[in-house]
Every structure is written in C-alpha cells, then in structure tokens.
Amino acid sequence: MTAERAATRDFEDRPAARDVAVAWLRVLWVVARDPRALLIVAGVGAAVWLVGLRRVDITRIGDLGIASMLPLWGIAGLTLLVVAFCLALVNSKSPAWLLAAILLAIIVLLYGLTAMLEHEARFAAAWRHAGFTDYFLRHGSTNTRLDAYFAWPGFFVGLAFLTRASGLDTPEHLLSVANWAPLFFNLLYGLVLFAIYSSLTIDRRVRWLGLWFFFLNNWAGQDYMAPQALAYLLYLVLIWTVLRSFRTGSPWPDWLRRVARDRSETQALGRRIRLAPLVVVVALFTALVVSHPLTPFFTIAAVIVLVIFAGVRPWWLPVTLLGIVAVWDALTMRDFLAGHSEVLTSIWSGISGKLDQNLAARIVGSPEHLFIVRLRLVMTGVLWALGGLGALRLWRSRATQLTAVMLALAPLSMVPLQAYGGEMLIRAEFFALPFVTFLAAQLFYPLPKSRDSGRKTAALVLMSIVMLGAFLFTRFGNERQDYMSTGEVKASHYLYAVANPGTLLVWAPNLPVKYRDIENFLYDDISAKDLKTLDVKAFETRLRSRNLEAHIVITRSAKAAVDMSSGQKPGSLDRFQAALQADPNFQVVFHNQDAEIFFLDRGTQKP
Amino acid sequence: MARPAVRPALILGVTLLTALSSIVEAPSQLRLVLLLGFLTFLPGLSLLALFPPRDVVSAIAFSIGLSLALDLLIVSASMYSGAFSPANMLTVLLAVTFIVSSAQLAGGLGLVTWPSISLWPDDPNGAEPSYAGWYQVTMGPFKGMWTKSALWPQTERSPYPGLALEPAPSAQRGLSSELRATPQPRISPHSGFSLADLSAQPSPSRPVSRTRIVSITSPVSRGGKASLVANTAPYATCHLVVYYGSGPTRVAGSGQRQADGEGDISWTWRVGTRTSPGTWTIEVICDPGGSTSATLTVR
C-alpha cells in the first residue's frame, strides 16, 4: 500500500515539478523583459546589500579587508543588481534610464562603501593633502622647499578655496567628508567615459558594458581626496575633446592607413584647426599641469598615439602640450630638482629596476595581503585578456578599434621611464583601464548588429559576478591599513595639541598626521632596521643626535601596514612598542586602544 | 516658460541658491554640497553658449571639464598673483555664471537678440554659411529633395531661389515639407553663435539641422566594405546617397532606413568593384533632421 502511494505521488509530482520549473522560467522571462520588474529586482538587491552592511564592524577588520566581513546574503543582494543590469543590457528594448539607474546604484554602493562604514577619513595621504591645504591657507603661498607637492598646487589651492568658501574653518573639517570623494569622482568619471565611448561606438550596449566593466575593475584606489583623482577626470575630458574635435586626418604614416583601410571606424570631417576646442584643450591641460606631476605625461602619450593612429590634427598638438609642461616644471621645480636630481637620472637607469619597484617589491607581506596582490594581478591579466580578445574579434570582423587599442597601450609607455615610487604600473593600469574595458565590451558586441543569445547573457552574468567578487577583495583588501580609527585620530589631535613647534615627530608609516602645521615640525620614521633589530638604544641615540624633543607615535594602522605589506615579521611594531614601553627614557604620554604616544626629551647632548 | 529658457533659468536658480547660502551663512555641509555642484558643472554649463554642444552627453562632459579647468586656473592664478581670496573668487565665478545665464535667459524669452559671435571657424559636418549652392532635385527617385552637391545632373535640379520658398504640401509622400522647403541655411551649432540662438530650438522659419556624420570609412577600396554612422532626430527616416561620377546612387540597399530612439543610424555596404576611383560626395538625408554631407574616397 505504501509503495503504491509513493508511486502514485511520484507520478503526480513529476508533472507538478515540471510545471513549477516552467512557471519560474516564465516569471524570469517576464522579469527580464519588464524594465519595472528589473528595477524592483535591483532595488531589492541594493536594499539587501545595505542591510548586510549593518552587520559589518569595521574595527574588527582583518588582512582580507572588508569583503571578508560582508555577510554572504549581503553579497547576494549585490549579485541581484549584477543580474538585473545584464538582463537589462541584453534586452534591446530596455530604456536607457534603467541601465543608468542600476549603474548609478552600483557606483553608489561600491564607491560609497567606505564612507558608509568608516567615520574618519581613510588613507594617510588624504590627511597629508589636508596639511598642504592648511599650509596654503595660513601662508597664502606654497613652498616647494618644504615639499615637492607644492610644485603642483592646483588641487590644494582648490581645496583651500572650497574650505573657506563653504565656511569651514580648516581643511581638517573637509576630511569629515573626504570618504565620499571616490563616489564623487567616479560619478563624474562615468559621465565623461560615456561621452568618450559614445565617440568611439554607436552601439549603446558597448557603451554601457564598457562602463560596467570599468566600475567593476577600478580597484586602483586613486580616486580619493587627491590631486590625481581630479587630474584623471581632466585627462578623460581632454581625451574626449581631442577625440571629438580633432580627428580630422588619417593615420600616419601611410602604411598605417593601409593597415587601417576598411577597418578604421572613424574619421572626423573637416580640415581646419578649430580654435574653440584648441582653447579648451590648452585650458584643460594647463589646469592639469598645475595640479599633478604625472598625469600630463600620460596625457601627452595618449595625444601622441591619437595623432599617429587616429588622425588627430594638428600634429603639433602634443608638442604644444609638452611645451606647457616643460615650462611649468622648469619654473616650479628648480628648487626641488636641485636636491632630487635622481628623479631625472632614474629615467635612464634601466627597466629592470623599475619593474622590481613596481612589481617584485609589492609582492611581499602577510599571506592574506599576498592573496590580495596576486588577485589584483590575476584580475588585471583577465581584463587585459578580455580586451585583447575583444580587439582580436573586432579585427576578424574587419572593424578594428585602433584608437581604443592604442589608447589602452599608450600608458604602458610610461612604465620604463619612471618608477614613481613603485606606483607607475598601477597608475599605467588606471589610465589604460577605460579603454581596456571598452575593448573587453567589444568582445561581447564586436559589431552593432551582433545579436544577443542565452549563452552570451549567461557569460555576461558570470563574468560580471566574477569581476564583482574579485573587486570586493582587490579594491577593499588593504582596508585594514587604509582605515583610520577614531582612536588614532584622537591620538593625532593630542599630538598636535601638546607638541611644541620644532619637535621631532617620529612614526611608522601610515598615520592620520601631517594634516596641519606641517612646517612647524621635523619628521623621522621608525625604520625597517629599527623593527628588525629592536635596538631601542640605537634608536634613542639617533633621535638624541638631533637634539630635539621627540614624540614617537605608534598606531593600529601603522601596525597593520607593517604586518601586511612591509615584508617585516608580523608583530614587529608591537615588539618595538613593547621595547619602548620597557625603556624608562621613553615616557608614555598618550594611550588608547588604537594608539600610543611616547615622549623623548632632548637629553644632555649639545648641538 | 519657453523651452529655450529652461536651461539658463535652472543655472540661474542654482547660482542664486549658492550665492544665497553663502550670504546667509547656511550650515557648512549644505554650502559644501551646493558649492561642489556649482563648481563642477555651472561655470562650464553657462559657457556652453560659446561652445554649443551637439547632444546632452557632450554638454555634460564639456561642462564638467570646462568648469573644473576654469576653477583651477582662476584659483591658481589668484595664488600666484598674491590675490588669493576665496570670497572674491567665488564672487567672480558666481557673477560670470549669473551674467551669462541671465543673458541666455533674456535671449531665450525673446527679450533680447544677441549678435552672433563666431568661435568655430569650420564646421566638421559641412554646414554652409550661406544658401548658395543648394538646389532642389526636380525629377527621378529623389524628386523634391534639397541637396547641395554639384554632381547631380544639371537637368535634374533647380537652384535654390532664396529663403522665400513655397512650403511643399505636407501631404505629399516622400520627404517632408520641412526638409524640402528648408534647404540648409542651417544654423549649425558650430558655424556661428548667438546667445539667443544657442538656447533656441528649431523653428519652422529657422530650422536647425540635427543630422551629423559621426564616422565614415574612408578611404575605401573597390569591392571593400564601407560604413557610415550618423546621428539625427530620433526615429527619423533617412537615405544615403553617393554622388559618383556616373550620378547619384542610393547605397546600402534601395530602401529607406529609420534611426533609433537616440537618433543613431548606420549603413554598411560593399563598394562596387567597378566603381571609379576618386573622391565622391556622400550625403545623409533625413526626415526630420535635415541633411549633411561628407566625402568618400574610393581607391
């Protein structure tokens, strides 16, 4: 009897299960075709993600960064947004507002993440930038002898203007909103990138997908409250202006024209030089030159390849830009170069050393940090591979995007020229990113007539989920050291409240300091040798030789930086701190859960 | 409010709001948000009158770049001249934006007519500064179409007589009366500038051609594939004509084509293997949207 019932139930259930599956597929199909339904799915996904964020306690962050603290169901919410975007993209009838709304949501959720989780401005560099602004506000001028950054003061003067015009007392107050800078800049990047992509293709799917890939791969973190974030925006606008207004000729030399024949997708019309865009380009470039040292050279490299490969005329445009940057740097950098001639000589010092600084020197640290670094390398490789395949697919379709290919390759030309403190490779990747993501999008849609299919949609969803998952690690994987806790900031405030002008401030790197009165103090650091030998007496002798009062600051983020990425043994700074505590000459003057400040008097040594 | 006046009115409103927030010393966070928005978009957006954009995307990109460049150059110049004063600089930026957008608003409302200022010496899309050279096709499949190519057989065209054209019956099939009766004294955004014109929309008496060629494959070899991408009015009906030595040829199939909702339209066709080498005029004709032309080099 029981067996008979089971058989009957099995018989009855099978069609029922099939019906349910079919019903679900129908629901999915309806959702996929209905913009309002997709918007609701995206909205639910965003809400789930935001609720998930409430579970994150940033003070307990580990070496894998924020991603390891996110609840899985929160990430599932973000995945819903990804699926909604991909379904909206492949549906040719999806309105542009739907794609824009989902993309906007993903930008806000990803690039506003640290602002939602953290109370204090992250990145030690952001604090330093507030310090330059503070100097300018107090003196009304810059000082290249004090710091080379002052040779490119545009951003800092702009911040000073913003501070005072908005009624804030000091740039320190600006730091309270500094964590929103990545969101602000990325929203603007998105607008300008859409314009660039529109000038490269008429296929709206490629435009949106290129943007989508860009925001799922912009892990370089150069979009905080920093000159390079603003300079990058100006770079994008300049490239767009040149693409839009100066593509009046043919590729040069002639053999390139033959290569590009039948395939070169664009040729702007008209021959005469246009005055208005030329004025705008010069204004943009000048603003860029006064704001950042490196970006002008990436810009010139891009304009040179545009002249050669994209028919941009006049040919002397890059020469003009080079002239502007040469004059500026000659005028403002004399003092700096007098003491730092290695900046120029290092150009000729060979590529291997630069690759060491850019790559090998960065692959050190804790196992979790190494995972993050390697994941960054892998995802960069994957994206470039997708871009390369996209270019290849275009070539096979006889529709090359020579302009985009060359704009993607141009930034790499800077890598052999300067190590830029080991950051050049990251910067080059950042400048190439918009065009690599554009080419990666072309892999899915090489031609405007390229059709969508179920397999393509599935590949798109899968690729986006992989990119998103990796992005949460590559972008926020270093957050343990980038994040500044309230305890650390309190210690920093205390330091500036009690330290007399002329005092020596000593720290391991990565602190929320230098945000005020930068010219009133002298600086030193706890060196790698100090951490290795733990020789506090030698450290003391070194400090005393300067015949100054000294404050030694040790914080949570400094320990994180030492443990994660310095190559020192984990806990090195903790042990050094313990050694200082044990030495009676070092007096603890401030202590909380995240920071400790020691004081060392001048001693008896005379100058 | 008249549509041309909406943009300058909005700019004016936000400018006044920013100024007001500073005058009444509103909370700093509010002022910061307003100021960031103002500095990022508005100076450039108001000056778009001098660099008229072709579309919304261009307008946004241009206004961001122009605004930030202006902000940075002004503050840097003030620093190096020793005259750094946030209040004065804000006043300058607000004043410039206020004056320019007020002038546009007055023009948009029809209160003032501004003289033309030509900042763009050349229009890449072939806009003509005068009406000379335009004529109407009098026979054949393109009868009634206005064009400017001198390659069209003399016997099949009549010269453009001037502005006082008779409007064609709107019920006539084929290209619309507007296209035929308004033969391209187009007020191209880049051929000349008047503050009033810039914010003005196309009107029956002064139509503005919206059609522009985005890209074209040229040169192209005989037997090779050529493509042309254009942007025009949304859902416009368009034809593509090449004026080869043998006469006008409708390419990419014989039928007309419709632009999509964003006005994008493209053609891809194979150039005949027996086509004569040379440089030929190629023309995109849209209804609505007007026409524009370029050259196609066949090797």
Side-chain angles (χ1 to χ4, degrees), chain A residues 274-345:
Chain A
R274 268 155 250 135
L275 181 63
L278 192 63
V279 169
V280 172
V281 164
V282 170
L284 282 168
F285 190 74
T286 309
L288 209 154
V289 165
V290 302
S291 302
H292 194 240
L294 192 60
T295 308
F297 295 99
F298 280 112
T299 309
I300 291 170
V303 174
I304 287 173
V305 302
L306 286 176
V307 166
I308 297 173
F309 296 98
V312 160
R313 298 292 180 274
W315 60 266
W316 43 260
L317 188 59
V319 180
T320 306
L321 303 185
L322 199 59
I324 293 171
V325 75
V327 167
W328 180 264
D329 285 357
L331 286 175
T332 60
M333 285 190 68
R334 276 176 307 177
D335 294 336
F336 174 73
L337 286 176
H340 299 81
S341 56
E342 74 278 3
V343 172
L344 292 177
T345 53

Side-chain angles (χ1 to χ4, degrees), chain A residues 170-352:
Chain A
T170 67
E172 192 187 329
H173 293 107
L174 213 53
L175 284 166
S176 63
V177 292
N179 283 351
W180 292 103
L183 177 60
F184 173 76
F185 282 119
N186 278 283
L187 286 173
L188 296 180
Y189 296 163
L191 289 170
V192 181
L193 277 177
F194 192 82
I196 290 178
Y197 293 164
S198 297
S199 72
L200 291 173
T201 180
I202 59 158
D203 193 337
R204 76 168 197 157
R205 297 170 302 180
V206 176
R207 295 174 192 166
W208 286 109
L209 191 56
L211 275 180
W212 180 248
F213 284 163
F214 177 85
F215 288 113
L216 293 184
N217 288 279
N218 181 16
W219 53 260
Q222 297 299 321
D223 43 23
Y224 63 104
M225 195 180 83
Q228 62 265 34
L230 179 63
Y232 188 74
L233 179 64
L234 294 173
Y235 159 84
L236 292 178
V237 178
L238 192 147
I239 295 298
W240 171 79
T241 310
V242 171
L243 276 173
R244 194 69 192 250
S245 306
F246 293 96
R247 266 191 306 182
T248 58
S250 306
W252 176 92
D254 273 349
W255 63 265
L256 261 179
R257 204 180 308 173
R258 285 196 296 275
V259 169
R261 191 191 295 176
D262 291 349
R263 300 187 184 95
S264 182
E265 81 293 352
T266 51
Q267 182 197 348
L269 306 166
R271 293 275 168 187
R272 267 190 269 169
I273 299 163
R274 268 155 250 135
L275 181 63
L278 192 63
V279 169
V280 172
V281 164
V282 170
L284 282 168
F285 190 74
T286 309
L288 209 154
V289 165
V290 302
S291 302
H292 194 240
L294 192 60
T295 308
F297 295 99
F298 280 112
T299 309
I300 291 170
V303 174
I304 287 173
V305 302
L306 286 176
V307 166
I308 297 173
F309 296 98
V312 160
R313 298 292 180 274
W315 60 266
W316 43 260
L317 188 59
V319 180
T320 306
L321 303 185
L322 199 59
I324 293 171
V325 75
V327 167
W328 180 264
D329 285 357
L331 286 175
T332 60
M333 285 190 68
R334 276 176 307 177
D335 294 336
F336 174 73
L337 286 176
H340 299 81
S341 56
E342 74 278 3
V343 172
L344 292 177
T345 53
S346 73
I347 293 174
W348 313 110
S349 67
I351 190 171
S352 62

Side-chain angles (χ1 to χ4, degrees), chain A residues 136 202 240 244 265 267 269, chain B residues 58 79 124 212 215 218 229:
Chain A
F136 174 75
I202 59 158
W240 171 79
R244 194 69 192 250
E265 81 293 352
Q267 182 197 348
L269 306 166
Chain B
S58 301
M79 181 197 76
R212 62 191 178 85
S215 70
S218 179
V229 179

Side-chain angles (χ1 to χ4, degrees), chain B residues 101 142 206-207 233 299:
Chain B
S101 50
F142 298 104
R206 301 186 73 191
R299 288 182 168 174

Side-chain angles (χ1 to χ4, degrees), chain A residues 113-165:
Chain A
L113 179 62
T114 51
M116 294 176 203
L117 292 177
E118 300 174 23
H119 299 298
E120 307 294 346
R122 61 200 284 275
F123 270 141
W127 291 78
R128 202 165 59 234
H129 296 157
F132 298 138
T133 308
D134 167 70
Y135 178 93
F136 174 75
L137 276 175
R138 285 183 292 108
H139 294 269
S141 62
T142 57
N143 185 347
T144 50
R145 288 172 192 271
L146 192 66
D147 201 300
Y149 272 90
F150 281 128
W152 304 276
F155 179 76
F156 307 118
V157 181
L159 275 189
F161 170 58
L162 198 61
T163 303
R164 284 289 155 81

Side-chain angles (χ1 to χ4, degrees), chain A residues 39-51 73-81 109:
Chain A
L39 192 66
I40 291 169
V41 168
V44 169
V48 168
W49 167 255
L50 288 172
V51 172
W73 52 269
I75 296 174
L78 212 52
T79 310
L80 277 181
L81 274 163
L109 296 178

